[in-house]
Amino acid sequence: MTFGHHHHHGHHHHDHDHDDHPHEAGPQGLFARYGRFAVAFLIVAAAVLSACLILIGPGQAVVVTRFGNPVAVLTEPGLSWKMPAPVESTIDVDLRLRTTSSGLQDVGTRDGLRILIQAYVAWQVPPEAERVRQFLRAVRNQPDVAAQQLRSFVGSALEITAASFDLANLVNTDPAKVQLSELENRLRERLDEQALKVYGVTIRQVGIERLTLPTETLNATVARMRAERETVAAERQAEGQRAAAEIASNADRDARVLRAKAKQEAAAIDAKSRVEAADIYGQAYNSAPDLYMLLRSLDTLDTVVGANTRLILRTDAAPFRVLVEGPSNAPAAPGASKEPSAAPAATPAPESVPAPSSSASVHGHHGEEAPQ
């Protein structure tokens, strides 16, 4: 009985512990039971939210497709919503600026010469819903395919546009004659229209990277430039010769004028000096006729008779009479008869010398007195 009582007590104690467990662990059991559902719900909600949330970054466009068909184009940076997949999905389109090079293209100029030219194109998908859809339809959102197509466009545009320019407009030592900017503007206009119409992209800039000449074109260009320089040199040489001839002609004309003026002035001075000399001779003769005649006779002898001169003249004729008679006012020698000298009727000219007579002649040398 004691055993049974002990067993009953232990059973009672066991039942007591079993009744107290729900009372003490009720909230914890509820949390353990429903907390897992809450976490699972939050995870599912976050997954659904992430599947429905769209983040649009700068320089990017997002195309929302519903069962493969585009229904919306989002271009503004920020957050947006969509239905979760597989109902709706997104396609990211890069709107950043891209560059494409054409490579060296062999094109012809208007004057029939060939050149090698390379251009680059800066292009971009504009942030417009219609253009983004057009870009997707044209190249299936593959920028490399668009760049390849643009390179072919640039090649054909270069061929057409370069044909409107001469080589001298593209390669020239004079910067004022180079029209590369005009070529770039025409290329941009032509490419922008084609690229926007076909692919939905806009051309932001077109530039010339490289321009060179083939060997035959280079030789022809050098020959043409040499001919141009020779032509310019010939023109300038001709201008210089014309200017030199004009200067020489003007100098000759001025010299002739100066000589004529100098001769005129010299003639006037000579005439004036002759008049003044005649006045002086007249005054000298009037003041001392005998001395004047002596001096003039001596001057005439000095002019006429030289070192090896031989004259046969009358001694009683002027101007040799003074060598025999001497001055007219000198005392006469004994037994010598003096012929009266006739005074001149007018003032003799400085150069006048009486003509010699052939009746009586005397041989003598300059400096010797002829005998009577």
Side-chain angles (χ1 to χ4, degrees), residues 316 321 324-326 330-341 372:
D316 59 348
R321 184 170 52 197
V324 179
E325 298 179 357
S337 62
K338 181 180 179 182
E339 295 180 1
S341 60
Q372 293 184 1

Side-chain angles (χ1 to χ4, degrees), residues 168-189:
N169 301 132
L170 304 178
V171 180
N172 204 305
T173 56
D174 187 1
K177 296 181 180 180
V178 178
Q179 300 180 1
L180 286 179
S181 58
E182 180 67 20
L183 175 64
E184 293 174 349
N185 292 335
R186 293 190 185 182
L187 279 175
R188 179 181 176 182
E189 293 175 359

